[in-house]
Amino acid sequence: MKKIIILLGLIGFIATSCEDELTIFPEDSLSVPTFFQTEEDFTQAINGTYAPLRNLYDQEKPFMAEMSSDNTYFARNTAFGATENNQDIADHSMITEGGITPNGNVQELYRDLYRIISRANQVLFTIDEAEFDETAKANIKGQALFLRAFAYFDLVQFFGSVPMHLEPVLDREGAALPLSSSDVLYTQIVSDAQAAIPLLPLKSEQEPGRVTSGAAQTLLANVHIVLQEWAAAETQLKAVVNSGEYMLMPNYEDAFSGNSSNKNNMESVFEVQYQEGADGLQGSFMYQFLPRPIEADEVALLFGTADAQPINGQGNNIPTPDIIAAYEDGDLREDGSIMYIETRESFWNDGIYPIIKKYVEPHAQHNNHGINFPVYRYAEVLLFLAEALQEQGKDGEAITYLTQVRTRAGLGAHTGDLGDAIFRERRVELAFENKRWFDLLRTGQAISVMTEFGDRVINNPNDYYLPEGVPAAGNAFTNIRELYALPSSESELNPNF
Amino acid sequence: MKKKSYRISWKFLFVFGLLWGITMQGQDVTITGTVASASDSQPLPGVNVLVKGTTRGAVTDFDGNYSIVAPDANSTLMFSYIGFTTQEIPVNGQSEVNATLIEDATSLDEVVLVGYGTQIKREVTGSVQTVDLTELADIPVTQVTEKLQGQLAGVQITQTTGKPGDGINVRIRGQLSISGGSDPLYVVDGFPIAGNINTLNPAEIEDITVLKDAASTSLYGSRAANGVVLITTKQGKAGQTNISFNVSTGIQSVPQRGRLDMMDAVEFAQFKKEYYEDQGDPVPDIFQNPSQYEGRNNDWYDAMLRTAPMSIYSLAVSSSTEKFRSSMVAGFTDREGVVLGSDWRQYTLRANLAYDLSDKIQIGLNVAPSWVIDRDPRTDGTRGQGILFNALHTWPIMPIFNEDGTRTEFNRFPADTGNIFAYANWLNSAERIKDKTENLNLLSNAYVEYKPIEGLSIKSTLNAEFYRSNYEFFSPTNATYRINRPIPTNNEAIWDTRNTFSWLNENIVTYTKSIGEHNFSILGGFSFQKFRLDRDRLQASNFADDRLPVIQGATDINRNGTFNEIEENSLVSAFSRLTYNYKGKYLLTAAVRADGSSRFGSENRWGTFPSVSAGWIVSDESFMENSEAISLLKVRSSWGITGNNNIGDYTQYALVDNVIENRTANAVFGDTFAQGAAVSSLSNPNLGWETTEQFDIGLDLSLFNDRISFIYDYYTKNTTNLLFEIDVPRESGFEDFSDNIGEIRFWGHEFSLNTVNTTGKFRWTTSANISFNRNEVVALADGIDQVFGPNNWHITQVGQPFAQFYGHLSDGVYLNQADLDSSPQVPGRSTVGSIKLIDVNGDGVITRGGLNDDRAITGNPFPDFTYGITNRINYGNWDFSVVGTGSHGNELLVRHLFSTTNLDGVFNLLKDVENRFRSVDNPGDGFYGTTVGGGRVTGIERDWINDRFVADASFFNIRNITLGYTIPKLEKYFKSARIYTSIQNVYIFTKYWGGPNPEVSNQNDGQGDGGNLQPGVDLTGYPVPRIVNFGINLNF
């Protein structure tokens, strides 16, 4: 019996000492309590905050902000099953019930923007507690504020009201917030962008590709312009112009990034950074922007890839006859922006389609390129400034900025109403840069312009890449709305909408 | 093949010669005699006769006669025979010893294995069932679990794919979970293993005991909720030396029954011709004259298949001396697959040793290494992932061979033929793609047991399992498993190595004591188990030379597929059981286990799992003692709580990761790579195990001296705290929050019946079982009353059974304009002749998803009942057995229809599509709609999963027939020699039309267990072969 007691005692002893054995932290991942301590941690965290931009600009945003406008349209491949998600955006035929939609692009865009926001929140929430170099800290904090403001600015323009998270979510209860009005959102966006400006370094002092004080000023000016706060916009834009950090590239075509060269050039204010290769940092948006079916040799001819593959499915973001007609005679930008390719297997007419040329750059691997996507260029800063000045009646000054842009395009003085001229100039200068839909929206023309555009498509389907005899979809242009409906997948989870 | 059979005979002769030498040593006295049955005095053939303490044995012939050589006239002979009590008779100098064997009426005093010990079978109060694996030895399968099919009530064992060495799914009492694992806990010689049960060679196993109710399993605490399978390997038996050699060899082939009836080249060309005609388009040249394809059909699927040989060898040696017992088994299995390029080989060894250091101390050691090499060139999977699926829907006008007899490399026709994908030659893919897994497993147990006083035992064990799996994949430039990849394409490789190490220390004290009529047994124990997995995965592509698929030859490393993974967990437990009975007829057992696990949240570290059970042997009461008919009547009942800790190792933590939702968090700035990270999950310090509370009531009844025995159980279980990744709004930046939520109720009835129909020379036994398992989702999370499967083909809804098929309801096609005009439509998509879906919510429009969803439950993947029946007949030297299994009322989702009935003519189609709607005057049979209108019209039919995809998959499968003959004239050389033939998967009776295997369940995500929300999906996996096998058993 004594032996049993000793044994039981021993068991009890082992049991208590084993308590430590029950705490095992993962070795192949870091976990929150041990992370967010050092400069290196926060550098990784801010880098991770940029990452969702790649996916956002690879398809959802070009579809929702460009293909939804009269600049580009969907190229229907009748041999292929429908890909309604994209076509419904081009056709403004998205199903919206009670302010929500199952459209996959809307869902992905929403997710990507909130990925940016939650990662920025994680940085902003913990960075003040951490102890490391104050300059580095300010820089990281500035980038986080910019990215959060940028994401909410997209959200408010696409959706109007959305939930506003300013702190990291820690549990299930905190995950769903009520919708904040656009006023509340804009107040926060302005406040974040303002806070970011003094924290961020000038472009010349920042690592190329990261956001700068100039980028934050341009973002803030953009917000003011949407809110029609012209003087405030002018102040920010003047600061950018006077910083001496930017100038137009002499040649329009050189304003855009190559596959691995000419990135973040002197005209670039901010662009989404990609890199070709197998690291998952690549873009593939130019492949989205091709008509189909397209043969391997046609792809190879275009991109110079060694392993070109034929591509099937549906074509997206194909320049419309409308944008082609919008270029004035002699505008060098038409050739810089649009080119024509032949697709032998296409069912549409002779198979010669216009495509977006800005982003056609030779690269090595199929469906994998390193071309950066422009977000803000100095040319837009000049056009914003011209617009802000013109709106305040400072036409003379406005014209000087407009002229800088037109001169590079090989054009002389503008004709007609200055306001209209600036708006037209934006369309051609910034074509295919995800600006057109937002421009129509903020000037109140979205519904009228798209209704007229829809009539043209329905009446002349063959001009809009539908094969002879194939009409536009039955529901095309039946649901033209200023605001995108919120994703239904979110509505199922958030009781507030 | 020729080479192989040469090898067989060489090995055979070697062993044979060796043993010949052993048996030829020293001969003294020859004894002869006859053995008969005590009940009817009939001679008994096939009785084992053994000289006690020697290796000398004989078997009685057809007339019950035997002849044996004993070393001296004072030897003792042992007579043993299945179903009879073993008898020992001293020779006492006689030259003739006759024996009469008594039918075994004492089987109820059999001892059965229960958790952490054994119990007398009649005193067991839980629901426990044992299968003697030696009875199933002839079934020519390589997985232990496959042999158990049809043998156990309440245990559903399905063969989800025919891939050699893979795809057996075991569910005890229908247990399932939303996202936790649902496989039972496998315990091999007391050691809960972490590796793959399929690496265990069935020849090493003596018997398998399945613990079903909470009273039997609760000693396994937080791992017991899915049921426990106790596996006992062969141990040396006192007083016997036995050498047994088994070899079997056979041929596997895919039966014709159930294969999908696809269009041949002529039919396909005709379909395409009609497609263009109906569309009003010019018919491409190649379809203008379908009859040109007469005699030029290319059956791609059939070309992927072959008849394949398989061979199983095992050699078992067991011997014992006064103090030392050993059992050794060596096995080799060589199984070629019926799909080109696949095969499976297994090499195993096991040595089980026990030694008595003294009367009080025994030590033991079991060591079992095994090595499995498994090759499968990506046969299973959906379109573009599995080459069988690809082959099935490749156009039959695409040539497999060139004119000169060589294989084509790939096929692609001009786009105006509607061929939008390039197809590699899948035969080349099967042979050229390397997809190999090597598993090296070392299982070992060591123990010391000390019995200081009568009734007291102190046992300490140390168990270790080392499991290494090495996966290599290489797809050269001239092969692909994907579609739309013209050859040559990019080459790619994956290396994936997993090293797992698990060890367990257990210390157990048991004390048994009887005081008067009160019998006690008490057990107490403490254990510590630790598990660690180290995984290195490397994915690379674009190798300069196909002949050098080495990492230094790769141009690109795929970061997303390249990673290290480390998983670690620990489990500290204390447990105790008290067994008490009064007079051996009032039985009571209580048990409890406390588990502390590193997997559980810091605020919820320890779980306690109690159980209690009671039994009453009614037949021992005086009022029943006189009943001649009833030999046992026992009623028993149990209650207990068990857990399921398959919740992942680090689920409780908020992790910071570099890859989130398969996308890297890295960034690039200019040309500079920048390491990135982000918080990837939400933490939950309260996370814990899934809890199952189970109640069981059962009855054991044996009649007519155990000629008929019957077992009935009714159980009800409630599983709560289900691990569930609750979706959270993405505005949080996260996908989900892991929590313990919800409740599923399970209940069921199980019946087992064993009968000895005839005895004596013609002995016929039947065992049959039938189980009815049901489940219902009682609750999910707050605010969530339904969860969809990963592809939205299933719904798990409160108030309904788990994971029901979900989709639209259909009502044929729109027959004409009037029908279309008067019926609800899919706006902009429905046309005359297109599929007509039912407007479930009555809003006049057909909608998929969203607030006005028209989808509904379309079917149930779970059976109403499953059953098994085994008949065994021994007649003289002949033995015969038939095993059948069946399932009734379960349905399958014929998911492959999205390709195999694609009306756009992109793929080859089921022949049935000939009966589609073509015009108002030629509306077809109403199943398939019009091809006119392209994807916007036809896409509804194939992409909006609907009830036409759901098919009844009830079946009865004659799983195995074995016929054996014991050769009587060889006793001079062998204790026994037997030859047999065995056919596996003889025939399936079923109405299932979606493919050959009504048990298929392709969970698509490749997660196995994780696919619980998506059961019963048919993506035409690896076909289950029929095996015709011949074998020899020799015992020395």
Side-chain angles (χ1 to χ4, degrees), chain B residues 538-577:
Chain B
L538 184 60
Q539 188 170 346
S541 55
N542 299 319
F543 294 81
D545 191 326
D546 279 339
R547 292 168 305 177
L548 286 173
V550 289
I551 189 65
Q552 61 269 35
T555 312
D556 298 300
I557 304 294
N558 298 79
R559 275 185 171 264
N560 284 352
T562 299
F563 52 83
N564 286 133
E565 184 185 344
I566 298 166
E567 297 277 336
E568 212 172 352
N569 64 66
S570 57
L571 183 71
V572 180
S573 315
F575 45 87
S576 180
R577 175 172 58 206

Side-chain angles (χ1 to χ4, degrees), chain B residues 185-199:
Chain B
L185 179 71
Y186 292 99
V187 180
V188 179
D189 294 329
F191 182 23
I193 61 162
N196 187 344
I197 187 70
N198 292 332
T199 59

Side-chain angles (χ1 to χ4, degrees), chain B residues 225-414:
Chain B
N226 298 332
V228 179
V229 179
L230 303 177
I231 294 171
T232 311
T233 62
K234 287 176 179 162
Q235 305 291 332
K237 287 191 179 64
Q240 283 186 24
T241 296
N242 194 44
I243 297 167
S244 148
F245 178 64
N246 296 299
V247 52
S248 74
T249 185
I251 290 290
Q252 312 163 77
S253 58
V254 179
Q256 287 296 328
R257 191 217 62 79
R259 289 200 200 184
L260 288 169
D261 193 8
M262 304 297 287
M263 289 185 179
D264 65 20
V266 176
E267 289 157 349
F268 178 73
Q270 180 64 33
F271 168 84
K272 292 290 284 186
K273 186 177 183 205
E274 292 169 2
Y275 172 87
Y276 287 101
E277 286 169 355
D278 292 353
Q279 198 97 269
D281 287 340
V283 178
D285 291 346
I286 60 167
F287 304 127
Q288 280 186 359
N289 178 18
S291 62
Q292 67 173 301
Y293 295 106
E294 212 77 67
R296 289 168 58 200
N297 185 44
N298 294 279
D299 187 338
W300 284 90
Y301 184 79
D302 189 63
M304 298 292 290
L305 306 179
R306 61 181 172 190
T307 25
M310 72 179 281
S311 302
I312 303 173
Y313 308 84
S314 76
L315 174 67
V317 179
S318 71
S319 78
S320 72
T321 63
E322 200 179 321
K323 294 197 158 184
F324 183 70
R325 290 170 297 286
S326 73
S327 163
M328 279 171 265
V329 182
F332 169 55
T333 299
D334 187 355
R335 183 169 179 190
E336 205 171 81
V338 289
V339 176
L340 289 183
S342 60
D343 58 42
W344 193 87
R345 271 174 293 153
Q346 183 192 50
Y347 304 83
T348 61
L349 283 174
R350 170 175 284 276
N352 290 352
L353 312 170
Y355 185 67
D356 298 331
L357 284 178
S358 73
D359 287 350
K360 292 180 175 176
I361 302 176
Q362 186 190 89
I363 57 170
L365 176 68
N366 302 341
V367 185
S370 75
W371 185 32
V372 174
I373 304 150
D374 180 7
R375 295 196 309 147
D376 180 83
R378 302 242 166 159
T379 53
D380 287 13
T382 187
R383 181 173 81 210
Q385 291 174 19
I387 58 174
L388 279 173
F389 195 140
N390 294 350
L392 188 71
H393 73 227
T394 299
W395 287 8
I397 60 169
M398 289 182 168
I400 302 173
F401 297 102
N402 294 310
E403 303 270 312
D404 63 6
T406 56
R407 281 188 200 155
T408 53
E409 285 296 320
F410 79 101
N411 284 287
R412 182 158 184 251
F413 293 163

Side-chain angles (χ1 to χ4, degrees), chain B residues 339-514:
Chain B
V339 176
L340 289 183
S342 60
D343 58 42
W344 193 87
R345 271 174 293 153
Q346 183 192 50
Y347 304 83
T348 61
L349 283 174
R350 170 175 284 276
N352 290 352
L353 312 170
Y355 185 67
D356 298 331
L357 284 178
S358 73
D359 287 350
K360 292 180 175 176
I361 302 176
Q362 186 190 89
I363 57 170
L365 176 68
N366 302 341
V367 185
S370 75
W371 185 32
V372 174
I373 304 150
D374 180 7
R375 295 196 309 147
D376 180 83
R378 302 242 166 159
T379 53
D380 287 13
T382 187
R383 181 173 81 210
Q385 291 174 19
I387 58 174
L388 279 173
F389 195 140
N390 294 350
L392 188 71
H393 73 227
T394 299
W395 287 8
I397 60 169
M398 289 182 168
I400 302 173
F401 297 102
N402 294 310
E403 303 270 312
D404 63 6
T406 56
R407 281 188 200 155
T408 53
E409 285 296 320
F410 79 101
N411 284 287
R412 182 158 184 251
F413 293 163
D416 69 357
T417 64
N419 175 216
I420 58 177
F421 299 119
Y423 289 87
N425 189 315
W426 308 117
L427 283 68
N428 290 339
S429 303
E431 290 179 352
R432 293 173 184 171
I433 292 175
K434 176 183 185 183
D435 189 304
K436 183 173 85 164
T437 311
E438 286 188 37
N439 293 312
L440 185 63
N441 194 3
L442 180 64
L443 200 57
S444 55
N445 323 83
Y447 67 89
V448 52
E449 186 173 10
Y450 176 48
K451 294 178 174 168
I453 52 166
E454 171 79 34
L456 178 66
S457 151
I458 302 166
K459 189 175 179 181
S460 183
T461 72
L462 188 63
N463 308 270
E465 180 185 13
F466 173 72
Y467 181 70
R468 178 186 169 89
S469 126
N470 216 339
Y471 174 74
E472 277 180 79
F473 171 79
F474 181 66
S475 179
T477 50
N478 61 3
T480 181
Y481 63 91
R482 298 189 170 99
I483 54 170
N484 207 20
R485 286 289 180 97
I487 301 295
T489 180
N490 302 24
N491 49 19
E492 52 184 329
I494 298 169
W495 293 269
D496 196 345
T497 305
R498 295 163 200 244
N499 285 305
T500 64
F501 184 69
S502 163
W503 64 267
L504 165 70
N505 167 240
E506 262 173 359
N507 306 288
I508 302 160
V509 181
T510 42
Y511 185 63
T512 308
K513 180 85 181 169
S514 295

Side-chain angles (χ1 to χ4, degrees), chain A residues 1-54:
Chain A
M1 213 54 199
K2 204 173 173 187
K3 278 177 184 162
I4 297 172
I5 292 163
I6 292 168
L7 194 81
L8 289 173
L10 193 70
I11 289 168
F13 172 74
I14 297 167
T16 44
S17 67
C18 279
E19 191 75 25
D20 289 345
E21 293 288 343
L22 291 177
T23 303
I24 301 178
F25 285 112
E27 284 179 45
D28 56 358
S29 285
L30 299 161
S31 44
V32 169
T34 58
F35 201 73
F36 298 110
Q37 311 280 344
T38 65
E39 180 178 341
E40 172 57 23
D41 292 347
F42 281 96
T43 304
Q44 288 195 21
I46 194 66
N47 294 345
T49 312
Y50 282 89
L53 287 171
R54 287 194 298 270

Side-chain angles (χ1 to χ4, degrees), chain A residues 7 14 21-23 27-30 32 44 47 54 80 84 115 165 172 177 273 312 345 490 494, chain B residues 415 420 509 526 530 532 566 570 598 605 654 656-657 661 666 668 670 675 677 730-731 782 829:
Chain A
L7 194 81
I14 297 167
E21 293 288 343
L22 291 177
T23 303
E27 284 179 45
D28 56 358
S29 285
L30 299 161
V32 169
Q44 288 195 21
N47 294 345
R54 287 194 298 270
F80 206 81
E84 298 133 47
R115 283 181 185 119
H165 288 266
R172 188 181 169 219
L177 291 185
Q273 314 279 309
N312 225 303
E345 300 290 343
E490 297 301 309
N494 187 329
Chain B
I420 58 177
V509 181
F526 163 73
K530 191 142 185 178
R532 183 180 167 104
I566 298 166
S570 57
S598 64
R605 192 129 272 171
V656 176
D657 271 314
E661 295 183 58
N666 293 334
V668 58
Q675 182 75 23
R730 294 302 188 97
E731 62 188 79
D782 287 345
R829 298 187 67 172

Side-chain angles (χ1 to χ4, degrees), chain A residues 3-4 7 11 14-15 18-19 21-33 35-36 40 43-51 54-55 76-82 84 87-88 93 95 97-98 100 102 108 110-112 114-115 117-119 122 143 163-165 169-172 174-178 207-210 260-261 263-264 273-275 277-281 293-295 307 309-312 345 347 365 372 473-475 488 490-494 497, chain B residues 412 414-416 418-421 450 452 456 458 484-486 488-490 507 509 525-526 528 530 532 541-542 556-560 564-572 574 596-600 605-606 649-650 652-657 660-661 663-679 681-683 726-734 737 739 781-784 788 827-829 847-852 904 906 933-936 942 944:
Chain A
K3 278 177 184 162
I4 297 172
L7 194 81
I11 289 168
I14 297 167
C18 279
E19 191 75 25
E21 293 288 343
L22 291 177
T23 303
I24 301 178
F25 285 112
E27 284 179 45
D28 56 358
S29 285
L30 299 161
S31 44
V32 169
F35 201 73
F36 298 110
E40 172 57 23
T43 304
Q44 288 195 21
I46 194 66
N47 294 345
T49 312
Y50 282 89
R54 287 194 298 270
N55 192 51
R76 181 89 176 90
N77 173 5
T78 44
F80 206 81
E84 298 133 47
Q87 186 170 5
D88 281 343
S93 57
I95 299 161
E97 291 156 351
I100 61 159
E108 251 324 278
Y110 186 92
R111 290 178 178 181
D112 275 331
Y114 276 109
R115 283 181 185 119
I117 289 163
S118 84
R119 293 176 193 184
Q122 214 42 269
Q143 293 177 60
M164 188 168 77
H165 288 266
V169 171
L170 298 174
D171 50 27
R172 188 181 169 219
L177 291 185
E207 184 182 3
R210 292 187 188 273
S260 61
S261 60
K263 295 186 169 190
N264 308 310
Q273 314 279 309
Y274 293 95
Q275 189 171 50
D279 289 350
L281 303 170
I294 183 165
E295 292 294 288
D307 63 337
Q309 308 277 334
I311 309 170
N312 225 303
E345 300 290 343
F347 300 95
Q365 295 176 33
N372 286 354
N475 54 354
S488 54
E490 297 301 309
S491 157
E492 282 166 18
L493 297 171
N494 187 329
F497 63 91
Chain B
R412 182 158 184 251
D416 69 357
N419 175 216
I420 58 177
F421 299 119
Y450 176 48
L456 178 66
I458 302 166
N484 207 20
R485 286 289 180 97
T489 180
N490 302 24
N507 306 288
V509 181
F526 163 73
F528 182 70
K530 191 142 185 178
R532 183 180 167 104
S541 55
N542 299 319
D556 298 300
I557 304 294
N558 298 79
R559 275 185 171 264
N560 284 352
N564 286 133
E565 184 185 344
I566 298 166
E567 297 277 336
E568 212 172 352
N569 64 66
S570 57
L571 183 71
V572 180
S597 167
S598 64
R599 289 176 165 178
F600 306 153
R605 192 129 272 171
W606 286 85
D649 284 339
Y650 308 117
Q652 57 168 309
Y653 295 112
L655 303 178
V656 176
D657 271 314
I660 297 150
E661 295 183 58
R663 289 196 196 127
T664 174
N666 293 334
V668 58
F669 295 103
D671 299 324
T672 312
F673 173 82
Q675 182 75 23
V679 181
S681 56
L682 291 163
S683 75
I726 306 171
D727 284 344
V728 294
R730 294 302 188 97
E731 62 188 79
S732 63
F734 300 104
F737 177 71
D739 206 353
D782 287 345
I784 296 178
F788 291 98
R829 298 187 67 172
T847 322
R848 180 166 189 264
L851 298 173
N852 302 320
D904 294 345
V906 180
R936 261 189 108 81
R942 63 172 174 265
W944 292 23

